[in-house]
Amino acid sequence: MPFSYVSHLTCPKCKRTYSVRKKQQLCFCGSPLLVEYQLEELKKNLSPTDIGEREPSLWRYHELLPIKSADHIVSLGEGMTPLIPTPKLGRNLSIPNLYIKDEGTIPTGSFKARGAAVGISKAKELGIRELAMPTNGNAGAAWALYAARADMKATIVLPVDAPTITRAECSISGAKLHLIHGRISDAGKIVAQMVAEKGIYDVSTLKEPYRIEGKKTMGIEIAEQFNWKLPDVILYPTGGGVGLIGIYKSFKELQNLGWIQGRLPRLVAVQSTGCAPIVKAWKEKKNSSEFCTNSTTVAFGINVPKALGDFLVLEAIYQTDGCAVAVDDDMMLQEQKRVASLEGLFICPEGAATIAAARVLRENGWIQEQETVVALNTGLGLKYPNTVQIDTPVLLED
Amino acid sequence: MPFSYVSHLTCPKCKRTYSVRKKQQLCFCGSPLLVEYQLEELKKNLSPTDIGEREPSLWRYHELLPIKSADHIVSLGEGMTPLIPTPKLGRNLSIPNLYIKDEGTIPTGSFKARGAAVGISKAKELGIRELAMPTNGNAGAAWALYAARADMKATIVLPVDAPTITRAECSISGAKLHLIHGRISDAGKIVAQMVAEKGIYDVSTLKEPYRIEGKKTMGIEIAEQFNWKLPDVILYPTGGGVGLIGIYKSFKELQNLGWIQGRLPRLVAVQSTGCAPIVKAWKEKKNSSEFCTNSTTVAFGINVPKALGDFLVLEAIYQTDGCAVAVDDDMMLQEQKRVASLEGLFICPEGAATIAAARVLRENGWIQEQETVVALNTGLGLKYPNTVQIDTPVLLED
């Protein structure tokens, strides 16, 4: 039985196909590429019960990942993050069956580790030695650290306003770190120039096809953790949107395998009112988004003015009868505090945005009381210590 | 079959016994208490293979934990942290079979979550509503967050020099946070006074008997992850020493269950040259340590001038033919950087101390080249961002 059932790459726009044996970036038409698997073959050879005893990492799903040989895996033990019942928060929201999938409990402290682990492993399999990327912080930290583990050179370009802790993560890994005045879109332009000049591998969001495969394991885990019966709603903080695209892709694959039945969860893209291009596009029933100028939000990870995969995010929303919601920074920070004090989870502002959105959607009736709802916390709150107000008396030693 | 095989509490010094049905602190004689289990009964009813398919948290070992009813569990999904092979670092150290057990990948970002999860769960089972503790940061953060989840009031007393991020964790949980000028020993005096005045539960290190039960799961996990064949050496950064005591206790229990055979791993207590009371006691072949004055180290978690459980730490070292080693801050920070750049793990200074100690012990021949060695990284490096020097040019947007 093969380690991976990966087949080839397909362009979701123009339907061109590409080999997974060579380095690929975007399609000739400019679209991101998606990985295809031999699902009919896999269906005959594997069932969910085979997976139960495997190690608690995302590599338990290796048949559905693009790495052909276990020897190429670059892992820090990422995946199988806790799916945490949050009944007190749920009562507060009138959503008693509320869960938080906690992506803080993962190497590098954010869900970006999934994309980095699979992306770097595939890059290793392809013989790649050097890469570059723009980032809002967490992705750069994750890719820099996994690149170090894989003996690859990494160049990371980061807005100067991004959480400063992520600089330490990039720097200690030995990566080349550049700070810029501007947003991730500006950082992206600098990387594009480097890549064009030096021919190094561009691992910007969706410019290589494998990060999404790492992210999709969040969807598979949610399915497995609910014993292959999916929840009604999943809320996801949406910047580049790779996680949402990945979760949707995983559910389609699990449907094809016959591992899940029935309606898919309604997928909700949550954005900040300070940067909500997907919400605007969804409200206007469009299939792509417009560049959001002067974007700003405390949830730095979702400050993405224009996502390359916007059309895939919108497709996932439309196909699952989902929606897109924007919440403001104050709402996020209030929920961040409430989640910590009620449930003991110190989530990041992006994760808190999903709770704020759940509140809005419950209040307007889009979420029903009896529904099972999963909110994705994409990382550790402690990467953003400045979002917490501390008012503490200093006692003198007596 | 009972959920827990907990039996009673015993004093390791004077052998008095106590019930697990009531709140207990120290023994009348002043010693910490240890939890005993009905291991002979458990041996008949459970085998390692029964555990294989359970959820990947420390609660997979619930029979060996002191909580009698699953209803009382307060969990954020803690445990089954990755055991990460570090072959490049191992080659650098001439210890090819070197592993890092990564306790950064756990809720609240440090191994303190284990003690808090089990300690708070047992406190809930006992009906406790309020607690207080001194801390060097990570324990306070963990106990504050788990207490919030359990609807308990928490008072945390923290040295003003402790990592500032842990203040945010305590504060956002809703705990009452006090900062003091001084060390954890000074914080401990303030807590003792509060406890005496108000009668609240004192969850200082080893002053309640259950934290150690959470910590011991590191030992059980190491055994399970090595398929119940133990490594030769385990290095542990030692402040209060609860983890080392717990790991030793778990191995004795697994021996009694017949789940492990042969020699136990040699346990190594690693301290900072700026605070090394256990190392001094071990060198002098004593059974207890002396208070270390003017202690200081960048590895704040192990700045503990005098551990209440020093005699238990020393017993674990003597009984396993282990040793105690002090390393200085520069050595730690060098290893911290090396581990990140070679293996992609951003470990904390305390964790890095174990690597520095492994280097010393390999160089002086105490560790042999072919031995299997586990170094415990007790938490996330990113809780100590100031330990990383960042030298980055700021590019201007063009």
Side-chain angles (χ1 to χ4, degrees):
Chain A
M1 215 177 114
F3 186 73
S4 166
Y5 282 73
V6 65
S7 165
H8 60 279
L9 300 169
T10 307
C11 174
K13 274 199 174 148
C14 74
K15 309 301 170 195
R16 267 197 194 85
T17 62
Y18 296 85
S19 166
V20 290
R21 287 188 187 79
K22 289 193 301 185
K23 180 175 112 171
Q24 306 288 1
Q25 308 261 205
L26 295 175
C27 179
F28 285 109
C29 79
S31 165
L33 296 172
L34 297 177
V35 183
E36 305 276 354
Y37 295 84
Q38 297 177 296
L39 297 176
E40 287 306 310
E41 277 305 300
L42 179 55
K43 192 174 182 171
K44 292 181 222 156
N45 295 330
L46 191 74
S47 78
T49 47
D50 299 324
I51 290 171
E53 277 197 69
R54 292 185 181 175
E55 66 164 24
S57 82
L58 60 80
W59 299 102
R60 65 200 276 115
Y61 311 119
H62 59 76
E63 290 90 348
L64 284 165
L65 291 171
I67 289 83
K68 293 187 173 222
S69 162
D71 295 342
H72 299 132
I73 288 178
V74 180
S75 175
L76 296 169
E78 56 288 330
M80 276 314 263
T81 56
L83 180 71
I84 302 176
T86 50
K88 285 193 282 174
L89 179 66
R91 278 195 297 278
N92 181 278
L93 285 163
S94 291
I95 307 173
N97 298 313
L98 178 68
Y99 294 79
I100 292 179
K101 173 85 171 157
D102 184 20
E103 295 283 304
T105 305
I106 198 166
T108 79
S110 93
F111 75 136
K112 300 288 184 179
R114 295 182 187 268
V118 172
I120 291 282
S121 296
K122 189 65 190 181
K124 184 177 172 187
E125 189 159 87
L126 294 168
I128 287 160
R129 304 300 304 272
E130 190 170 0
L131 54 86
M133 71 188 300
T135 178
N136 272 336
N138 282 327
W143 283 77
L145 286 160
Y146 281 87
R149 188 162 174 85
D151 267 335
M152 290 177 201
K153 281 189 198 170
T155 300
I156 310 292
V157 185
L158 181 72
V160 73
D161 295 329
T164 50
I165 283 181
T166 60
R167 293 184 202 173
E169 297 177 271
C170 293
S171 196
I172 200 167
S173 74
K176 206 166 172 182
L177 176 64
H178 297 287
L179 301 181
I180 58 134
H181 293 290
R183 293 183 182 73
I184 190 172
S185 42
D186 304 301
K189 284 177 208 160
I190 292 170
V191 168
Q193 202 178 322
M194 284 178 186
V195 164
E197 282 166 13
K198 297 183 189 167
I200 50 183
Y201 193 41
D202 187 345
V203 296
S204 308
T205 310
L206 292 176
K207 287 195 181 169
E208 63 76 51
Y210 303 106
R211 183 198 291 207
I212 192 176
E213 298 302 298
K215 293 284 187 74
K216 86 176 180 192
T217 58
M218 289 190 289
I220 313 180
E221 287 179 18
I222 289 170
E224 185 180 0
Q225 287 172 318
F226 278 114
N227 202 19
W228 310 101
K229 287 175 191 71
L230 293 177
D232 298 297
V233 174
I234 297 176
L235 300 116
Y236 175 83
T238 305
V242 182
L244 198 85
I245 299 167
I247 290 169
Y248 178 64
K249 183 172 189 285
S250 77
F251 290 161
K252 300 293 285 181
E253 289 171 359
L254 295 177
Q255 273 184 331
N256 282 327
L257 289 171
W259 292 13
I260 57 170
Q261 270 79 38
R263 256 184 84 157
L264 293 187
R266 307 192 312 274
L267 299 178
V268 180
V270 180
Q271 299 201 298
S272 158
T273 48
C275 182
I278 299 287
V279 177
K280 184 167 182 288
W282 177 76
K283 283 189 176 161
E284 294 168 357
K285 298 188 177 143
K286 290 191 177 154
N287 294 318
S288 66
S289 65
E290 288 161 35
F291 189 93
C292 170
T293 51
N294 300 320
S295 60
T296 179
T297 170
V298 67
F300 209 83
I302 55 175
N303 189 341
V304 178
K306 160 86 179 163
L308 189 58
D310 55 0
F311 67 104
L312 296 169
V313 173
L314 288 159
E315 184 194 338
I317 297 172
Y318 294 132
Q319 290 294 322
T320 61
D321 298 318
C323 70
V325 182
V327 295
D328 68 34
D329 285 4
D330 283 348
M331 294 162 74
M332 289 179 210
L333 297 182
Q334 274 174 35
E335 299 293 354
Q336 187 192 34
K337 193 166 182 178
R338 190 168 1 239
V339 172
S341 62
L342 287 179
E343 299 290 356
L345 279 163
F346 183 15
I347 65 177
C348 63
E350 295 86 347
T354 65
I355 305 300
R359 190 177 300 278
V360 169
L361 293 174
R362 179 69 195 94
E363 281 171 1
N364 72 18
W366 194 89
I367 292 176
Q368 302 284 307
E369 186 167 9
Q370 80 296 346
E371 290 190 306
T372 298
V373 174
V374 175
L376 264 160
N377 173 45
T378 44
L380 291 171
L382 57 81
K383 284 205 176 184
Y384 309 65
N386 301 336
T387 60
V388 181
Q389 282 202 324
I390 303 167
D391 188 27
T392 305
V394 176
L395 305 179
L396 290 177
E397 189 188 348
D398 208 359
Chain B
M1 216 179 112
F3 186 73
S4 166
Y5 281 72
V6 66
S7 166
H8 61 279
L9 300 169
T10 306
C11 173
K13 274 197 174 150
C14 75
K15 309 301 170 194
R16 266 195 194 86
T17 62
Y18 296 84
S19 166
V20 289
R21 287 190 186 79
K22 290 194 300 185
K23 179 175 112 172
Q24 307 288 1
Q25 307 260 204
L26 295 175
C27 180
F28 286 109
C29 80
S31 164
L33 297 171
L34 297 178
V35 183
E36 304 276 354
Y37 295 84
Q38 297 176 297
L39 297 176
E40 287 306 311
E41 277 306 300
L42 179 55
K43 192 174 182 171
K44 292 180 223 155
N45 295 331
L46 191 73
S47 77
T49 47
D50 299 324
I51 290 171
E53 278 198 68
R54 292 185 181 173
E55 66 163 21
S57 82
L58 60 81
W59 300 103
R60 65 201 275 116
Y61 311 119
H62 58 78
E63 290 91 347
L64 284 166
L65 291 171
I67 288 82
K68 291 186 175 222
S69 162
D71 295 341
H72 299 131
I73 288 178
V74 180
S75 175
L76 296 169
E78 56 288 330
M80 277 313 264
T81 55
L83 180 71
I84 302 177
T86 50
K88 285 193 282 173
L89 180 66
R91 277 196 296 278
N92 181 278
L93 285 163
S94 291
I95 308 173
N97 298 313
L98 178 68
Y99 294 78
I100 292 179
K101 172 85 171 157
D102 184 18
E103 295 282 305
T105 306
I106 200 166
T108 80
S110 93
F111 75 135
K112 301 288 184 179
R114 295 182 188 267
V118 173
I120 291 283
S121 295
K122 189 65 190 178
K124 183 177 171 187
E125 189 158 86
L126 293 168
I128 288 161
R129 304 301 303 271
E130 190 170 0
L131 54 85
M133 72 188 300
T135 177
N136 273 335
N138 282 327
W143 283 76
L145 286 160
Y146 281 87
R149 187 161 174 86
D151 267 335
M152 290 177 203
K153 281 189 196 168
T155 300
I156 310 292
V157 185
L158 181 72
V160 74
D161 295 329
T164 49
I165 282 181
T166 60
R167 294 184 202 173
E169 297 177 271
C170 293
S171 196
I172 201 168
S173 74
K176 205 166 172 182
L177 176 65
H178 296 288
L179 301 180
I180 59 135
H181 293 291
R183 293 183 181 72
I184 190 172
S185 42
D186 304 301
K189 285 177 208 161
I190 292 169
V191 168
Q193 202 178 324
M194 283 179 185
V195 164
E197 283 166 13
K198 297 184 191 166
I200 50 182
Y201 193 43
D202 187 345
V203 297
S204 306
T205 311
L206 292 176
K207 286 195 181 170
E208 63 77 50
Y210 303 106
R211 184 198 290 206
I212 191 176
E213 298 303 298
K215 294 284 188 75
K216 85 176 179 192
T217 58
M218 289 190 287
I220 314 180
E221 287 179 19
I222 289 170
E224 186 180 0
Q225 287 170 318
F226 279 114
N227 202 20
W228 310 101
K229 288 176 191 70
L230 294 176
D232 299 297
V233 174
I234 297 176
L235 300 116
Y236 175 82
T238 305
V242 182
L244 198 85
I245 300 167
I247 289 169
Y248 178 64
K249 183 172 189 286
S250 77
F251 290 160
K252 299 293 284 180
E253 289 171 359
L254 295 177
Q255 273 185 331
N256 283 326
L257 289 171
W259 293 12
I260 57 171
Q261 269 80 39
R263 258 184 83 159
L264 293 187
R266 305 189 319 271
L267 299 177
V268 180
V270 179
Q271 298 201 299
S272 157
T273 49
C275 183
I278 299 287
V279 177
K280 184 167 182 288
W282 177 76
K283 282 188 175 160
E284 295 167 355
K285 296 187 177 145
K286 290 190 177 156
N287 293 319
S288 66
S289 66
E290 288 161 35
F291 189 94
C292 171
T293 50
N294 300 319
S295 61
T296 177
T297 169
V298 67
F300 209 83
I302 55 175
N303 188 344
V304 178
K306 160 86 178 162
L308 190 58
D310 55 359
F311 67 104
L312 295 170
V313 173
L314 289 158
E315 185 195 338
I317 297 172
Y318 294 132
Q319 290 294 322
T320 61
D321 299 318
C323 69
V325 182
V327 295
D328 68 33
D329 285 4
D330 283 348
M331 293 163 73
M332 289 178 211
L333 296 182
Q334 273 174 35
E335 299 294 353
Q336 188 191 34
K337 194 166 181 178
R338 189 166 5 236
V339 172
S341 63
L342 288 179
E343 299 290 356
L345 279 163
F346 183 16
I347 65 177
C348 62
E350 295 85 347
T354 65
I355 304 300
R359 189 177 300 278
V360 169
L361 294 174
R362 179 69 195 94
E363 281 172 1
N364 71 18
W366 194 89
I367 292 175
Q368 302 284 306
E369 186 168 9
Q370 80 295 346
E371 290 190 307
T372 298
V373 175
V374 175
L376 264 159
N377 173 45
T378 45
L380 291 171
L382 57 82
K383 285 203 176 185
Y384 310 66
N386 301 335
T387 60
V388 181
Q389 282 201 324
I390 303 166
D391 189 27
T392 306
V394 177
L395 305 181
L396 289 177
E397 190 187 348
D398 208 1

